[in-house]
Amino acid sequence: MNKRARIGVFGFFFLCGLVMGMWAAGLPALNQRLALGPERIGYTLLLVSLGALVSMLLAGRIVDRWTSRTVCWIAGPVSAAVLLGPALAPSYAVLTVTAVVFGLGLGAIEVAMNVHSVEVEQAYGRPIISAFHGTWSLGGATGGTLTALGLKLGVDGQALLVGAAVVVPFLYLPAARLLLPGRPATSSAQPGGGMGAMRWGLVALLGLVAFAGHLSEGAAIDWAALHAVWVLGTDPAAAPLAYTVFSVAMTSVRLLGDPIRARLGPVRTIQLAGAFATAGYLLVLFVPTVAGAWAGWALAGIGLATVVPVVFSAVGAAGGAVGRALSLVTAFGYSGLLVGPAVLGFVTEHSSLPVALVIPAVLAAVVGLAGTPAIRAITTVPEPVPAGR
């Protein structure tokens, strides 16, 4: 049963990444169809992110009450089907509403499938979460590739998004049938809405680690190629390779890193994650050559790849109301992706890109500095006392 559930979770992560990849790759076609322009595209993406953030904050309670399996069954197909709204939006006004709905769907499935991945890892008794996140990246790459191939063959961009919204919900169903049986709700065991074994301070500390890791990751995604052009003077055609190096390093470690994490342990892993990511950003900042930058982005990708798996595993290991705790930590992390582009863009506009990249470099160090005591504390968290004892 555990192996079946693991395959099912792989399916959920891949399909979620696939939808996101097709959405991102389909933005140029959406822009052309509705004549949006950069500002409106930016607002649209912000609305998707805000919808996802709101949904994440609510989804944890629902997962703890209804079980992650039940929410996955519903949120998986719905999160893909709501892509139909932006795909068919006849105007920018309608797009703004459908973008929020799309974000709500994404936030719900992110929390539900991550909680279930923690439950499957606990059933296995060894680290397996990292590979799930690597599969999400593969799904995103597949979505982008399918979109590019479809456009090359002359398929309309809108038709590709509509096709994804219609087909992917049905692909979720066989994956959902493989998930673990539902667990009893845990939130009811915590009077007053408590976290169970997870103390609020510990949740906040893990949330800080997630925020730091996500912002540092987002900085690489958004600015690696621009750094190559603006700072290093790289040919624009070759500049995207800087992000490619980062992405390949991160995806490879996520797909192959679970045995390494099992060998090193969570505390040592989070320490090395912060060290590698910080060293990577220092190379980018202080070795002004293409080779130095590539090495830096690769190191940053290697380090940041393990942050989310370690943090999410820690939430599961603490016990208690996992859904609520994980939803809060996920929301912390997602807010890093949300505010990162705006903050770095503002600093770049008023100073320079190297100065702006000092921020993710510092936050990469925070991953290790804050993550070490947080992960250590998990091993000392008292077990929840069963009702009636």
Side-chain angles (χ1 to χ4, degrees):
M1 179 175 291
N2 293 342
K3 290 183 178 180
R4 286 167 50 87
R6 188 179 184 184
I7 294 172
V9 176
F10 272 126
F12 267 78
F13 273 78
F14 180 84
L15 292 172
C16 184
L18 178 71
V19 170
M20 284 299 297
M22 295 198 73
W23 159 250
L27 283 174
L30 185 66
N31 172 55
Q32 185 176 22
R33 183 170 67 85
L34 297 180
L36 297 175
E39 184 177 8
R40 287 184 170 183
I41 289 178
Y43 282 133
T44 300
L45 295 176
L46 179 62
L47 289 171
V48 172
S49 298
L50 291 175
L53 189 60
V54 170
S55 182
M56 287 173 182
L57 292 172
L58 297 175
R61 292 177 179 271
I62 299 173
V63 165
D64 286 331
R65 181 175 295 275
W66 289 354
T67 77
S68 61
R69 175 187 171 92
T70 301
V71 180
C72 280
W73 264 95
I74 299 170
V78 169
S79 67
V82 291
L83 179 60
L84 201 61
L88 295 177
S91 65
Y92 173 65
V94 175
L95 179 64
T96 58
V97 177
T98 58
V100 173
V101 176
F102 180 50
L104 290 171
L106 291 177
I109 190 56
E110 282 281 345
V111 170
M113 72 182 186
N114 274 298
V115 171
H116 204 80
S117 75
V118 168
E119 293 172 359
V120 173
E121 179 175 86
Q122 290 176 325
Y124 261 78
R126 60 181 173 85
I128 61 171
I129 285 181
S130 183
F132 294 142
H133 292 272
T135 304
W136 188 95
S137 299
L138 288 179
T142 301
T145 301
L146 288 175
T147 300
L149 181 61
L151 293 173
K152 188 174 182 63
L153 294 175
V155 181
D156 180 67
Q158 184 180 32
L160 290 170
L161 289 179
V162 170
V166 172
V167 173
V168 174
F170 294 98
L171 300 181
Y172 269 112
L173 299 180
R177 293 174 62 87
L178 301 176
L179 300 180
L180 292 174
R183 293 185 174 185
T186 58
S187 59
S188 60
Q190 306 301 330
M195 282 296 194
M198 287 286 284
R199 300 186 298 272
W200 279 106
L202 189 53
V203 171
L205 197 57
L206 289 171
L208 173 62
V209 176
F211 175 88
H214 277 78
L215 193 148
S216 298
E217 178 183 344
I221 294 171
D222 294 332
W223 298 101
L226 292 173
H227 175 270
V229 176
W230 293 351
V231 178
L232 302 179
T234 307
D235 188 305
L241 291 175
Y243 166 69
T244 302
V245 167
F246 172 84
S247 181
V248 168
M250 171 172 276
T251 302
S252 299
V253 171
R254 281 184 170 170
L255 288 172
L256 305 173
D258 283 319
I260 300 173
R261 187 160 62 95
R263 182 178 181 85
L264 294 175
V267 174
R268 186 62 175 157
T269 300
I270 202 70
Q271 290 172 338
L272 289 175
F276 273 106
T278 304
Y281 268 103
L282 291 177
L283 277 177
V284 170
L285 289 171
F286 296 110
V287 182
T289 65
V290 173
W294 282 16
W297 293 124
L299 281 176
I302 290 170
L304 295 172
T306 59
V307 175
V308 169
V310 171
V311 170
F312 285 8
S313 292
V315 174
V322 174
R324 187 179 178 197
L326 190 62
S327 71
L328 289 171
V329 172
T330 302
F332 267 109
Y334 203 78
S335 65
L337 290 176
L338 189 62
V339 305
V343 171
L344 295 183
F346 178 84
V347 175
T348 299
E349 180 71 23
H350 292 83
S351 182
S352 68
L353 181 53
V355 172
L357 290 179
V358 171
I359 297 173
V362 171
L363 289 176
V366 169
V367 167
L369 295 174
T372 299
I375 302 301
R376 278 183 177 154
I378 295 297
T379 62
T380 63
V381 171
E383 292 293 327
V385 178
R389 177 175 291 185

